[in-house]
Amino acid sequence: YPAAGVSDWTPYAQSIKKDGVKGLVFLGDFPSLAKLEQALTSVGYAPDWIDANSNAYGPAFPQLAGAALSKQHNYAELFATAPLESAADNPAVRQAIDLFKKYAPGKQVTYPALRAFSAWLLFATAARDCAELTRRCVYDNAMKNTAFTAGGLQAPFDLTSKEPPRCYVIVEATAKGWQAADFKPDQGAYRCDAPAYKYEGDYGKPATLADVGKSLADLT
């Protein structure tokens, strides 16, 4: 759809209904998705599922979509991050929410914020264990983690492995807000059976330190 936005989503909704779309992956801003779903509800159609993606995860999307969420079935994958809705049972998520209340009152705790907390905790714990704080020391300490959980903010992640993560969380948007979806978790709050996809095309060679005449020995 046009990046500048759509004045009337009804033709899109009618086209989706006409083609009998069963699943919709929406790549765009969630205010537009909310308008599309309102149009879908108005024409009396609901796909089996809509992938709203993690950009929509937060209180704003349910508020914008409103009553349409009682008809439309929205899901989002949170990679391997504990959802905000798990705060009652997850002390790490509760602490992140409390920190926002203390230092950023009125600001929303978002999915990117939880991911940022996890990344900074990895840096902080790696830096903590350096006798002399250098880039190489932080890097080496971080790469020793075989089951990093950011204190409970995410599923265990092995930084020594070259395999992609297999754990994920699925949440569902409802008229009352986001909630955990029935996706049959098998490791605590996570499901850890995501298949690894092997890309077969020619996507070019990634740059390395060697390409610029450097090595990890130069990381100081």
Side-chain angles (χ1 to χ4, degrees):
Y1 65 91
V6 176
S7 60
D8 183 6
W9 282 93
T10 303
Y12 291 82
Q14 291 172 334
S15 179
I16 290 172
K17 180 178 181 179
K18 178 177 178 293
D19 291 341
V21 172
K22 298 298 184 183
L24 173 65
V25 178
F26 190 85
L27 299 177
D29 61 290
F30 63 80
S32 293
L33 176 59
K35 293 177 181 178
L36 171 59
E37 295 193 21
Q38 289 167 349
L40 283 167
T41 303
S42 294
V43 301
Y45 188 74
D48 290 345
W49 55 265
I50 296 174
D51 180 358
N53 75 64
S54 59
N55 288 335
Y57 180 61
F61 175 65
Q63 291 169 2
L64 290 171
L69 292 183
S70 63
K71 301 291 185 182
Q72 307 299 327
H73 313 291
N74 288 266
Y75 301 92
E77 179 190 356
L78 301 186
F79 189 46
T81 303
L84 291 167
E85 292 72 29
S86 67
D89 303 312
N90 189 321
V93 175
R94 180 73 264 167
Q95 187 175 18
I97 293 173
D98 290 343
L99 286 170
F100 261 74
K101 288 181 178 179
K102 182 176 180 179
Y103 295 105
K107 300 295 184 181
Q108 295 179 7
V109 187
T110 62
Y111 170 70
L114 291 177
R115 300 292 299 163
F117 263 101
S118 177
W120 277 109
L121 281 167
L122 176 61
F123 171 83
T125 54
R128 176 197 60 196
D129 297 331
C130 289
E132 179 183 359
L133 187 58
T134 64
R135 295 181 179 88
R136 181 60 188 268
C137 178
V138 171
Y139 174 83
D140 286 342
N141 284 344
M143 294 301 291
K144 294 175 183 177
N145 283 278
T146 58
F148 182 73
T149 66
L153 288 177
Q154 65 174 57
F157 180 61
D158 184 0
L159 277 80
T160 68
S161 173
K162 294 183 179 180
E163 294 296 319
R166 294 174 56 85
C167 297
Y168 56 95
V169 171
I170 304 295
V171 289
E172 179 180 5
T174 72
K176 295 181 179 179
W178 290 92
Q179 63 183 28
D182 183 17
F183 68 108
K184 298 179 175 60
D186 55 17
Q187 290 190 28
Y190 308 96
R191 182 163 174 170
C192 299
D193 63 352
Y197 181 84
K198 184 176 181 179
Y199 290 89
E200 303 289 349
D202 182 6
Y203 303 103
K205 180 179 177 294
T208 66
L209 288 170
D211 293 331
V212 292
K214 300 289 184 180
S215 71
L216 279 178
D218 298 297
L219 184 63
T220 58

